[in-house]
Amino acid sequence: MSTVRRVVVGLSGASGMPYALDLLHTLRRVSNLEVHLVLTQGAKRVLVEEAETSVEAVEALAHVVHRSPDLGAAIASGSFRTVGMVVVPCSATTLAKIALGLADNLLTRAAYVTLKERRPLILVPREAPLPLPSLEAMVKAAQAGATILPASPGFYHKPRSVDDLLGFITQRILDLLGLEYPRSARWKDGSG
């Protein structure tokens, strides 16, 4: 009998929504995985502007959608078992809140719980250049147990499209969560 695993995906209000969409589309293809999604108000605004899609279409990529103000949702509890959480894109404000343990919405509460339970928490910031407060927040979040994965794709896999660049970051996220799915070629192994 197979066991369904769960992953939490949080979208915050930063540029980089194509990374989130690529991840969500890929996670839907991973067998025995249930995707729990939470979007901040900022994410909803950036999503419409940047990805030219509707919030409803993005929510349809998840198995379960949680509302950001609902601090009583299942993902706000450590007893709700997951393989981890990804915040993509991770805004500077969300990064700072997570680094300081400020759980004022469901996304930051779920991130706090993920750290508390010592599960993988992957933060994908996209902003550049990085000012000192963001760098300091990254260090604090990393010290608390988060993995900082800048949306900075490599080029050794010889990308031919934007999709290839997005897939590079998605593959890194999958690897960090311990999820098997061939989204991008790996260094010198030719798979992908």
Side-chain angles (χ1 to χ4, degrees), residues 134-176:
S134 291
L135 292 169
E136 289 174 338
M138 287 181 190
V139 169
K140 284 187 183 305
Q143 288 171 334
T147 298
I148 310 301
L149 176 62
S152 180
F155 292 88
Y156 57 78
H157 64 298
K158 307 285 192 270
R160 293 190 176 115
S161 67
V162 171
D163 188 59
D164 291 343
L165 295 172
L166 297 172
F168 181 91
I169 297 300
T170 293
Q171 186 68 65
R172 299 295 308 212
I173 292 168
L174 295 173
D175 290 349
L176 290 166

Side-chain angles (χ1 to χ4, degrees), residues 26 29-31 171 174-175 179-184 186:
T26 303
R29 295 184 205 120
V30 176
S31 62
Q171 186 68 65
L174 295 173
D175 290 349
L179 298 173
E180 292 293 327
Y181 189 85
R183 179 60 186 92
S184 180
R186 297 178 182 283

Side-chain angles (χ1 to χ4, degrees), residues 6-155:
R6 303 173 182 133
V7 64
V8 178
V9 178
L11 279 61
S12 66
S15 180
M17 288 301 165
Y19 289 108
L21 293 175
D22 190 80
L23 177 65
L24 288 168
H25 281 288
T26 303
L27 289 173
R28 283 306 295 240
R29 295 184 205 120
V30 176
S31 62
N32 298 319
L33 186 68
E34 186 177 88
V35 178
H36 288 255
L37 178 65
V38 60
L39 294 90
T40 65
Q41 283 304 115
K44 291 177 181 180
R45 176 161 185 173
V46 175
L47 187 63
V48 172
E49 293 287 329
E50 193 172 277
E52 298 178 355
T53 189
S54 70
V55 170
E56 294 76 22
V58 173
E59 289 177 340
L61 296 172
H63 295 92
V64 181
V65 177
H66 302 277
R67 301 292 164 219
S68 186
D70 185 8
L71 292 175
I75 63 173
S77 172
S79 65
F80 185 79
R81 297 183 65 183
T82 69
V83 297
M85 179 176 179
V86 183
V87 182
V88 56
C90 185
S91 69
T93 299
T94 298
L95 172 65
K97 288 179 181 182
I98 291 169
L100 295 175
L102 300 176
D104 66 341
N105 62 46
L106 184 56
L107 189 155
T108 55
R109 171 65 188 170
Y112 174 84
V113 166
T114 301
L115 289 173
K116 175 178 78 74
E117 298 297 323
R118 305 226 186 279
R119 297 178 185 137
L121 173 62
I122 302 151
L123 307 178
V124 186
R126 199 238 29 98
E127 285 190 67
L130 293 166
L132 184 58
S134 291
L135 292 169
E136 289 174 338
M138 287 181 190
V139 169
K140 284 187 183 305
Q143 288 171 334
T147 298
I148 310 301
L149 176 62
S152 180
F155 292 88

